[in-house]
Amino acid sequence: QVQLVESGGGLLQAGGSLRLSCSASGRTFSSYGMGWFRQAPGKEREFVAAISWSGGNTNYADSVKGRFTISRDNAKNTVYLEMNSLKPEDTAVYYCAAERYLTLRTGPMVPVDFGSWGRGTQVTVSS
C-alpha cells in the first residue's frame, strides 16, 4: 500500500479556484490508479474524479465535469485536483485514494474500488 497525504484545501468564495495535491509514498506510484472523493457533513462519501496509472484515462462525477481536472505527475508521486468555478455545494472534506492496477469504471467509481486513503483536506466555499 501507499501512504497518501492531501494538501491545498482552504476557505474561498464561490466562483473561485483551488488546486488540491496528494503526495504518495513508495516507489510503485506509477502502477496505482488514483482518485478523489469528498464527504460533506451528514452525507456519504462521493466520487469526484479518478485517473489511470498512466494518466491517459480519467473519469469524473457529473457534478464536477467541466469544472474539475485530475492530473498526475509520476516523477513527483503526486496527483492533483484542479477545481474551478467552485460552488457552495462543493464544500466537503476531500480525500485522495489509490489502488494498484486500478481499472476505471465507465460510471462513477465507488470507495471499495480503492484500498489506500489519505486523511482528507477541508474545502469550504462560501456564497
Side-chain angles (χ1 to χ4, degrees), residues 2-66:
V2 292
Q3 305 299 315
L4 305 173
V5 179
E6 303 94 337
S7 62
L11 170 64
L12 71 165
Q13 291 187 332
S17 298
L18 202 62
R19 188 177 79 161
L20 304 182
S21 299
C22 173
S23 296
S25 65
R27 295 176 290 179
T28 58
F29 176 73
S30 61
S31 65
Y32 281 79
M34 303 295 295
W36 287 96
F37 286 74
R38 66 187 181 187
Q39 189 166 17
K43 295 188 176 181
E44 294 186 352
R45 191 166 298 191
E46 67 169 352
F47 170 67
V48 176
I51 189 167
S52 62
W53 62 272
S54 67
N57 293 297
T58 57
N59 185 358
Y60 294 94
D62 288 343
S63 59
V64 306
K65 280 181 182 176

Side-chain angles (χ1 to χ4, degrees), residues 34-35 41 67 74-77 80 83-84 106 108:
M34 303 295 295
R67 299 190 299 124
N74 286 345
K76 296 182 178 180
N77 279 20
Y80 304 99
M83 305 185 293
N84 298 311
T106 53

Side-chain angles (χ1 to χ4, degrees), residues 64-127:
V64 306
K65 280 181 182 176
R67 299 190 299 124
F68 290 12
T69 302
I70 188 171
S71 62
R72 65 188 297 158
D73 185 338
N74 286 345
K76 296 182 178 180
N77 279 20
T78 302
V79 63
Y80 304 99
L81 185 68
E82 186 77 34
M83 305 185 293
N84 298 311
S85 302
L86 281 160
K87 306 174 182 180
E89 51 264 43
D90 294 318
T91 294
V93 177
Y94 283 71
Y95 296 91
C96 177
E99 180 64 25
R100 202 168 190 189
Y101 306 128
L102 177 72
T103 298
L104 296 188
R105 295 175 183 263
T106 53
M109 307 297 290
V110 295
V112 295
D113 290 332
F114 297 87
S116 299
W117 292 83
R119 293 186 176 184
T121 185
Q122 176 71 46
V123 173
T124 303
V125 184
S126 63
S127 58

